[in-house]
Amino acid sequence: MIETVDRLTVLRARIAAWKRAGLRVGLVPTMGNLHAGHFSLVAALRAQVDRVVASVFVNPTQFGPNEDFARYPRTPEQDAQGLDAAGCDLLWQPSVETMYPLGLANTVTVRVPGITEVLDGAHRPGHFDGVATVVTRLFNQVQPDVAAFGRKDYQQLAVIAHLVAELAFPVEVLPVAIARDADGLALSSRNQYLDADQRALAPQLYRTLQAMRDGLRAGRAPAKVEADAQAQLSALGFAVDYAVVRTPTLGSLAPGDGEAVALLAARLGATRLIDNLEFSLAPASTAS
Ligand code: PAF
């Protein structure tokens, strides 16, 4: 069975031994309640490194006061079994006290300016400060050569790429494709909050992203594409936080841009879902 470690001294000893042996170490940072999307991150890393560490830590600093920190699903035994089966070598499961030794009120906070102020950053104030802060700590604790992050959290990936470049972390960021259910719904631990009717509706997010892509490729103006997506999702019963088309760096699209990303965040009842679709604007392209 996979070794679960919750003490920093033990983690450091394991990592140091691997590094002394010349082994490359990969990290999959997670908040647990693992599903096939997380295991695809482990698989992608396995192809690149000699040892894979997964961290499971439900990070309090990235949840707002009215968000789902308390009810976020925690399934430690299931997670350990899944990571074992996925070929992960070590499970790093720190306590809040180990992650934030001076207490939550006294943390050193890492804030990435600019890119964190739009979209999810605007709708979830402080969220990306929490993400950047915990990812910085995880990088310092595990000292990975490579760290894998899912493309589903598009803005998070951009924030982490910025963080790594800006603070010169010697870590390669490995982006991994979105894992979807057969009906197109992006896998997420929050999908299990959905009741049967909401679950049946949720794949409309992916269909809307495809319609946004098709609209832009057909030459429709970005503002029209966004307004149509917003109206369509609202009519279906989603409470839409944003429905936007952007450049890959989340800027406004301009005529002649070759690459784009459509991004959605919408709530069904109390459950907030996000999804995105990256695509080329060239009509003949086969990019999805
Ligand atoms: O994507 C997540 O699960 C979290 O935001 C992360 C990167 C593990 C930081 O807590």
Side-chain angles (χ1 to χ4, degrees), residues 28-32 38 55 57-59 62-63 72 127 130-132 134-135 138 148-150 153 156 160:
V28 180
T30 82
M31 296 206 301
H38 296 108
S55 60
F57 179 69
V58 185
N59 175 33
Q62 69 186 76
F63 289 79
Y72 196 84
H127 169 66
V131 171
V134 80
V135 168
L138 287 166
F149 293 89
D153 295 298
Q156 170 172 282
I160 288 161

